[in-house]
Amino acid sequence: MELTKIVVLALYVGVLFLIGYFASRRVKSMGDYYVGGKKLGFLAVAFSARATGESGWLLIGLTGMGALSGLSAYWVVVGEVLGVALSWWFMAKRFKRKSDAYGSMTIPDYLESHFKSKKKTLRLVASVILSVFVIIYVSSQIDVTGKAFESMMGMDYYVGAILGFIIVLSYIFIGGFVAAVWSDLFQGVLMFLGLVILPVVVYFSMGGSSDIVERLANIDPALTNVMGTSDDMWMNIATLLGFAFIGLGFLGSPQVYVRFMSMRNEAEIDKGKWVAVVFTLLTDAAAVSIGILGRILFTSQGDDPEAILGAGGEQVLSMLTEGFLPYSHCPFCDHVHHRLLVGNSIQRNYPRCVPKDV
């Protein structure tokens, strides 16, 4: 099993480096490096937007939420789908149209042009905000990468975190945005297939039982309440609203809007929005289902789920993967490489923020 994991990981990394190499041959200008020359198609961009928007959160956060919250976690799926649909249906085309008119290649470019900033103050503020939050977010994703290598490969946490960061940094450095999008497409397909297939495999390994809800109720009846696990009605309402509105974050994600910039034309957005919504619906629902099945398989009535499945249920996916699928991959790289590109774009903007006499 360990040899199989090492071979699969080596092949996976090899594919990423090949993607970086071929992508580098398309980089002829600054626009190619940051937004793929604005020539990318709907399939690659839609998969890329979803893979980078949800990978670490989807595989660890949402599966854990399914394990700890039960059926009410499906409200998160509703919220995610709504957020993705709103961003693609009502904001993507307008943003694409305006960013093309302004000749923008980065979010600070767009903000400065749209608000007609003359003193570079807006660009500077945007760059500082991106710098701070990119560092925080990349750090959290590197942390998740280290945990993934530790739990799935038996690797030291720090070695796994450093290895994952070096892999991402290497292929992004040579291939830029195109490498990021193509690797997202590759990783997004793996993530989609793994998430959709795993709950099906686990379900039939349990004998294709139709008493999933009953078995969940035997562990904790609150897990079967779609309206929440609390006895307090107002707490349930607040929780469900939080779940349902969780997708609103997609309306302001810079890495998603850079993808809208990179698309060939608005017709590609019309096709890509369906791919993005279907991807989100199926993978998010599968992630919650994986958490629920993991709760049934690995815990019993009276057990502390976090003691068995990890804080926030973070180990549920790796426990199921270890038992039912003999391979894993590093989708957390999806998050890291795009935050690095967003961060790297700041250095392009920074000289334009500083007065000439500095």
Side-chain angles (χ1 to χ4, degrees):
M1 181 66 76
E2 290 303 319
L3 179 60
T4 301
K5 288 181 178 180
I6 293 172
V7 170
V8 170
L9 179 61
L11 290 172
Y12 173 78
V13 173
V15 170
L16 292 182
F17 277 103
L18 280 175
I19 288 172
Y21 169 72
F22 285 111
S24 68
R25 301 176 66 178
R26 290 187 49 167
V27 178
K28 307 296 183 184
S29 66
M30 193 72 75
D32 291 336
Y33 188 83
Y34 286 121
V35 285
K38 297 190 176 183
K39 299 175 182 177
L40 299 180
F42 76 95
L43 191 63
V45 171
F47 265 83
S48 177
R50 300 316 321 127
T52 192
E54 294 196 281
S55 55
W57 140 253
L58 187 62
L59 296 181
I60 289 183
L62 194 50
T63 54
M65 189 175 290
L68 299 181
S69 300
L71 299 183
S72 62
Y74 284 111
W75 282 101
V76 177
V77 181
V78 175
E80 297 266 317
V81 171
L82 284 175
V84 171
L86 285 172
S87 63
W88 278 84
W89 255 266
F90 299 105
M91 301 181 73
K93 280 188 177 182
R94 187 176 182 184
F95 184 78
K96 167 67 175 171
R97 194 177 304 127
K98 290 195 172 187
S99 62
D100 283 353
Y102 299 147
S104 304
M105 286 190 287
T106 67
I107 298 300
D109 282 348
Y110 173 82
L111 292 174
E112 184 180 54
S113 298
H114 183 72
F115 292 103
K116 299 179 175 60
S117 175
K118 303 297 183 183
K119 297 182 179 180
K120 309 300 180 184
T121 303
L122 182 58
R123 178 181 291 275
L124 180 60
V125 170
S127 298
V128 169
I129 291 173
L130 285 173
S131 297
V132 171
F133 287 99
V134 162
I135 290 172
I136 294 172
Y137 206 102
V138 168
S139 299
S140 70
Q141 292 301 315
I142 292 173
D143 172 60
V144 171
T145 303
K147 290 179 179 178
F149 277 117
E150 182 180 39
S151 64
M152 297 181 184
M153 301 289 295
M155 189 180 294
D156 179 77
Y157 163 80
Y158 295 102
V159 173
I162 294 171
L163 177 62
F165 182 73
I166 291 174
I167 290 170
V168 174
L169 192 63
S170 299
Y171 72 80
I172 289 304
F173 179 77
I174 61 175
F177 187 82
V178 176
V181 171
W182 285 357
S183 64
D184 278 345
L185 178 60
F186 168 61
Q187 294 176 107
V189 170
L190 291 180
M191 186 165 67
F192 179 85
L193 293 176
L195 281 169
V196 172
I197 290 172
L198 183 57
V200 176
V201 172
V202 174
Y203 175 76
F204 283 105
S205 75
M206 297 166 63
S209 175
S210 60
D211 61 347
I212 297 295
V213 175
E214 182 180 340
R215 294 175 66 175
L216 201 60
N218 290 337
I219 297 172
D220 183 353
L223 295 173
T224 63
N225 186 357
V226 179
M227 302 308 294
T229 58
S230 175
D231 294 328
D232 187 328
M233 180 185 70
W234 293 108
M235 178 62 72
N236 283 337
I237 291 174
T239 300
L240 293 185
L241 287 175
F243 285 176
F245 291 152
I246 201 167
L248 294 181
F250 296 129
L251 302 182
S253 298
Q255 70 276 12
V256 173
Y257 282 82
V258 169
R259 272 152 191 71
F260 296 153
M261 284 186 191
S262 73
M263 298 187 81
R264 190 177 300 122
N265 51 50
E266 292 183 26
E268 296 295 299
I269 293 176
D270 284 329
K271 292 180 281 188
K273 63 188 181 185
W274 293 104
V275 176
V277 168
V278 171
F279 183 100
T280 303
L281 175 62
L282 294 181
T283 54
D284 283 36
V288 174
S289 300
I290 287 169
I292 290 172
L293 293 172
R295 182 67 182 270
I296 292 171
L297 284 175
F298 301 121
T299 69
S300 304
Q301 185 178 19
D303 287 343
D304 178 2
E306 294 202 8
I308 297 172
L309 302 175
E314 65 181 15
Q315 298 297 330
V316 66
L317 179 68
S318 61
M319 293 171 75
L320 282 174
T321 303
E322 185 74 29
F324 296 96
L325 292 179
Y327 60 86
S328 62
H329 68 288
C330 181
F332 317 105
C333 300
D334 302 335
H335 269 295
V336 175
H337 62 217
H338 286 292
R339 270 55 179 201
L340 289 175
L341 276 173
V342 169
N344 189 32
S345 70
I346 294 168
Q347 63 82 25
R348 172 184 178 274
N349 294 304
Y350 180 72
R352 297 168 64 182
C353 300
V354 181
K356 294 180 180 180
D357 58 345
V358 175

